[in-house]
Amino acid sequence: MPVSISKRRPKTSKKTETEKPEASLKDPRTGCNSICSVFSSSILYRVPLTILFLFFIYLWSTSTTVISGNVVHICISSRKLNDLYCLTAGTQPGLHVPVSNFTNPVSENVIKSEEEKSVVVLGEGGERDSASFTVGASPNVIKNETSTGERGSGLYQDSKPVNEKNLDSFLVDWDSETGEERYRYINSKDEDEETALKAVDKYLKIQRSWLSTVNNRNKQASCEGKGIYVYDLPSKFNKDLLGECSDMVPWANFCSYFKNDALGESIESLGKGWFRTHQYSLEPIFHSRVLKHPCRVYDENLAKLFYMPFYGGIDVLRWHFKNVSEDIKDVLAIEVVKWLGSKQSWRKNAGKDHVFVLGKISWDFRRKNKLSWGSSLLEMQEMKNPTKLLIERNPWEVNDIAIPHPTFFHPKTDDDISNWQNKIIQKHRRSLISFAGGARPGNPDSIRSTLIDQCTSSPDQCRFLNCTSGGCDKPESVIELFQDSEFCLQPPGDSPTRKSVFDSLVAGCIPVIFDPYTAYYQYTWHLPEDHRTYSVYINKEELKANKVNVIEKLMAMSLREREDMRSYIVHELLPGLVYGDPNGKFERFRDGFDITIDSLLRMISKKIVS
């Protein structure tokens, strides 16, 4: 059973160093000699000492010994603890979920020397890959296995013996500069790829430093020095674009999606707060909320943050399926940048305190040649400094920040959120796994066909909703499927991210992620850095190579693991993943919009000071 160790060494308490009786726990033979001498000296002590002796044996058999430097920690597994509790150190060691890609067989448990400076993962029938990742002088680990190989401490993915098919497909390593832990989902093949991955890590860390954790619902008291100015743009940049809804795409009329402040038509069968919201409606939804924000100011001199209500994503969408020239595709993008350039408020800080909300993926605004669609808005030099909020960011642009796709749920009150939480946490889930999607036969890199094959081959465990044949056209069908499932498969589609990830989370269904760019390298303000709290990761390359069966892997996860993850998703994450009704009011919760605005204000403060 694999574990990995934090680079930082736990501190040994003074009590541990001075009290010699504790030392008996480290060596059962020493404890035995001491106990036996007392036991033979007086019959009065036989019964209590026999009980104590048996307790020591039990303690040893259920313990994990961790060697950190010259300090030995004896740690006890407990069903009530998420990590091991260490008696000798008085603290919990930094043990984490296992390192992956173990291919070289090892017949015995191995202790790796510090001189070799690499992580060693030990387990029953242990396998390891000494080339998986190298770090500086990490501590060694010895695992005192129980006969059953049970997981009890929550450190392991399942209770099976360790093998390359049931290990998590990511690495836990250490940042060479800061010494802090980080997750590695991709093994770089060359120096250029390694440089790119380091840039991703760097920008994610910067964006997380901007995250606001303030939970103050008293808006009136919190607005001092946090004014938000909304530009009054000419209507051709926003409202007029919505007026083209009937002719936006050849096969659909978008007008119904732009009703109710772009939330769409209500879905009464799902309850209060449910709407037929289109995945590209983020721009008008966000605009409606900003206009009613309590910190909105009408004097530019009082503003901390400047919001540009340009519906760039809808501008791009209307040209996607029409044969028009580059000049036409870029006309509004060029004009809006020119319009901004005439403003003193823009020139004052070179756009660093300005924000654009663009309701499509970053690449739709980075057109570089005549053959690709989209606009070249984000390729313009003037657009480097402002912050861009998108449903999918460019991982190598620090000012591209991903925020959640709009879901179908837009609560109006705290009770709307609470009632939904109570409903889905108690929901009986009849299916272990579900997949709502379609195949990508024209894409050789797609893993969807493999997932569909595995899913349909196990109909008792997995339900497949075919979106290609129109099965996903009704939101009710998708949400009901997700409510009924423990795990929801979320492979990449036309781009790495999926609206379906957020639909599944809102329904309390644990997303199964196959590409780190789908979520882990994206939503730094709305999803936690530790992906294990809300998702399961399976490396898509391993799936392509037939090294993993998704159904078997998910079946191996315990009921307790599923319940813990679902509880975290429903109670901790869900409120921050939805965009509330523009006419709503929350006192106890912060929704996705609140988290975004609060973090933007924090970010602007740091950027302007620097």
Side-chain angles (χ1 to χ4, degrees), residues 431 454-463:
S431 300
Q454 290 190 7
C455 184
T456 54
S457 297
S458 303
D460 292 339
Q461 302 295 337
C462 187
R463 291 171 60 189

Side-chain angles (χ1 to χ4, degrees), residues 407 424 429 478-479 482-483 485 487-490 499-512 569:
T407 67
I424 60 173
R429 297 176 185 265
V478 176
I479 296 302
F482 289 171
Q483 284 186 75
S485 307
F487 298 100
C488 293
L489 306 183
Q490 303 293 350
K499 174 183 183 293
S500 181
V501 171
F502 295 97
D503 289 333
S504 67
L505 287 167
V506 170
C509 187
I510 302 166
V512 182
I569 289 169

Side-chain angles (χ1 to χ4, degrees), residues 313-362:
I314 294 177
D315 176 39
V316 165
L317 182 63
R318 64 185 178 140
W319 303 125
H320 262 355
F321 306 99
K322 297 174 184 176
N323 186 19
V324 297
S325 68
E326 290 180 289
D327 292 339
I328 293 178
K329 291 178 182 178
D330 286 338
V331 63
L332 280 189
I334 293 171
E335 286 185 14
V336 78
V337 170
K338 182 178 179 180
W339 186 91
L340 262 180
S342 66
K343 303 296 180 181
Q344 175 61 29
S345 53
W346 168 266
R347 297 194 299 269
K348 181 180 179 181
N349 290 304
K352 291 181 180 180
D353 48 6
H354 284 57
V355 60
F356 286 72
V357 176
L358 302 171
K360 294 187 97 280
I361 68 174
S362 180

Side-chain angles (χ1 to χ4, degrees), residues 101 185 190 238 251 270 335 355 388 409 445 470 489 494 534:
N101 300 329
Y185 306 95
D190 52 45
N238 42 54
W251 60 86
L270 289 177
E335 286 185 14
V355 60
K388 285 78 66 175
F409 186 42
D445 292 328
L489 306 183
D494 296 325
Y534 69 91

Side-chain angles (χ1 to χ4, degrees), residues 238-308:
N238 42 54
K239 185 179 179 180
D240 290 353
L241 292 173
L242 300 183
E244 299 183 27
C245 56
S246 61
D247 189 38
M248 199 157 287
V249 296
W251 60 86
N253 188 323
F254 270 57
C255 296
S256 63
Y257 294 119
F258 296 144
K259 294 180 178 179
N260 297 319
D261 291 315
L263 301 183
E265 297 175 336
S266 62
I267 308 176
E268 295 181 0
S269 61
L270 289 177
K272 294 178 62 176
W274 288 88
F275 299 85
R276 301 184 191 279
T277 306
H278 196 274
Q279 62 178 331
Y280 297 145
S281 294
L282 178 64
E283 293 157 352
I285 289 174
F286 209 94
H287 189 190
S288 296
R289 289 290 300 276
V290 174
L291 289 175
K292 298 179 181 180
H293 196 281
C295 294
R296 183 185 176 188
V297 296
Y298 297 86
D299 183 348
E300 294 182 9
N301 296 318
L302 299 177
K304 186 77 164 183
L305 175 68
F306 293 83
Y307 170 68
M308 276 293 297

